[in-house]
Amino acid sequence: MDGNKSTTLTVLGCGNLGLAILSGILDSISKSAHQSGGSNGNNDLFQTPTRFIACVQRPQSAERIQKAVAEIPSATENVEVFQKENLRGVQQADVVILGCKPYMVANVLGEEGMQEALAGKLLISICAGVPVDQISQALYGTSYAEAMFKGSSQPQKPCTICRVMPNTAALVRQSMTVIATSNPPLPQRYQALTEWMFNQVGRTVQLPPHLMDVSTALCGSGPAFVALMIEALSDGAVAMGLPRAEAQLMASQTLTGTAGLVLNGEHPALVREKVCTPGGCTMGGLIELEEGGVRGIIGRAVRRATVVASQLGKGVSGVNGMIVGSG
């Protein structure tokens, strides 16, 4: 990336998660520009992306992206949607977010000319269950470390690969994103840019690659688990007379407030204890939950999702022989 020219970000396979990330970044840039009178707030290490390309296969996907982008002030003019033009989108990019289904990685990266189009660029994978070495194998037929070592003496250097696991809450800038550490480490400018992009859509942590599958289960699948809990809480309240809309609002805000307490430093057990009083209604409800094995069921759900996540990139069959997808 040249600090003297604009930076183009391409989302290769702009599905639900890719669109959430793209929308979050665009919204952040739009608000920052408004607050600073038009400046993008470029960092000394990198230049904030100013041009965006979303690559999709279906016209319905293109329409969905255009509709979402149109709702963000001043974003439409900076975003292009390419349909069935993955190679062109990558050729025009400085940074690429790979967001296709895990089982599609080999086909997408194996397209003729893709290796050359990615040369010397930053490739950020948000594909669940797909290790960096698997991406490198698809591009170069060898491990990432070996590709980087061989590429150091080649005129056309390989791309730098970074594995990242965000979640769909990026759409409301509340994603929990895990950035995998790499060997060799990311160049400082790429590390800074990656952190900046995903900090625009929530919080980030860095963890070693061997923890990415459980991170996928906890952060990537977590919103679905939490949504189920919100539904269950709402259903219980509706059964006792609350209107559905108010019950859902109250359940959602209760989870948000509780999460805020924990993020502020409170241990979950202490939060729970502070709500409980002798002979109170909370203890009555907690006993029901414990007798129902809710704690163990939730823990097992994360464990099961971790196992499935580890198989996603391998195209392993899921339930009833269906190929598991990225969610």
Side-chain angles (χ1 to χ4, degrees), residues 5-288:
K5 73 178 187 69
S6 62
T7 297
T8 298
L9 170 65
T10 291
V11 182
L12 186 58
C14 194
N16 291 332
L17 185 53
L19 179 56
I21 295 166
L22 178 62
S23 299
I25 293 174
L26 287 168
D27 183 55
S28 176
I29 290 175
S30 175
K31 289 178 179 177
S32 296
H34 177 74
Q35 293 170 358
S36 60
S39 170
N40 285 327
N42 290 333
N43 187 287
D44 291 338
L45 293 175
F46 64 87
Q47 186 161 10
T48 302
T50 54
R51 182 184 176 219
F52 302 86
I53 299 172
C55 292
V56 297
Q57 294 299 305
R58 301 182 303 128
Q60 297 94 326
S61 299
E63 292 173 9
R64 181 167 54 88
I65 292 169
Q66 290 164 344
K67 182 178 179 180
V69 169
E71 297 176 357
I72 303 172
S74 305
T76 306
E77 59 199 46
N78 299 323
V79 180
E80 298 176 69
V81 181
F82 291 0
Q83 187 181 336
K84 296 183 178 180
E85 292 186 292
N86 287 347
L87 184 60
R88 179 179 166 224
V90 174
Q91 288 171 334
Q92 296 187 23
D94 299 290
V95 180
V96 176
I97 294 179
L98 179 63
C100 64
K101 298 293 185 182
Y103 64 86
M104 297 172 61
V105 168
N107 287 336
V108 171
L109 297 182
E111 182 178 348
E112 185 177 354
M114 190 62 73
Q115 184 182 128
E116 293 75 18
L118 282 167
K121 298 177 180 179
L122 173 61
L123 175 64
I124 300 172
S125 171
I126 60 171
C127 299
V130 183
V132 167
D133 276 347
Q134 187 173 335
I135 295 171
S136 181
Q137 285 285 348
L139 280 169
Y140 309 112
T142 187
S143 70
Y144 182 51
E146 187 173 348
M148 295 298 284
F149 176 75
K150 289 181 177 179
S152 63
S153 60
Q154 301 296 320
Q156 192 174 71
K157 299 187 181 301
C159 65
T160 299
I161 305 172
C162 176
R163 186 179 177 189
V164 174
M165 190 63 245
N167 67 32
T168 192
L171 187 59
V172 291
R173 297 175 68 180
Q174 290 295 327
S175 173
M176 182 65 251
T177 300
V178 181
I179 302 172
T181 56
S182 61
N183 184 24
L186 288 180
Q188 190 177 14
R189 69 187 186 283
Y190 284 163
Q191 181 70 39
L193 175 59
T194 302
E195 290 180 8
W196 177 85
M197 283 196 297
F198 290 95
N199 278 331
Q200 304 315 299
V201 294
R203 295 177 180 236
T204 59
V205 297
Q206 295 187 48
L207 291 171
H210 74 275
L211 294 176
M212 290 303 287
D213 289 334
V214 65
S215 297
T216 298
L218 183 58
C219 301
S221 303
F225 302 158
V226 174
L228 182 62
M229 295 177 201
I230 291 174
E231 282 188 293
L233 289 168
S234 301
D235 286 346
V238 170
M240 298 308 295
L242 272 183
R244 172 66 65 179
E246 284 77 6
Q248 188 167 299
L249 170 64
M250 292 161 70
S252 301
Q253 182 59 40
T254 298
L255 263 70
T256 298
T258 305
L261 291 171
V262 175
L263 289 172
N264 199 42
E266 290 269 19
H267 190 282
L270 290 178
V271 174
R272 174 169 51 81
E273 288 299 319
K274 287 180 179 179
V275 181
C276 294
T277 55
C281 60
T282 305
M283 278 306 305
L286 283 172
I287 288 173
E288 287 288 331

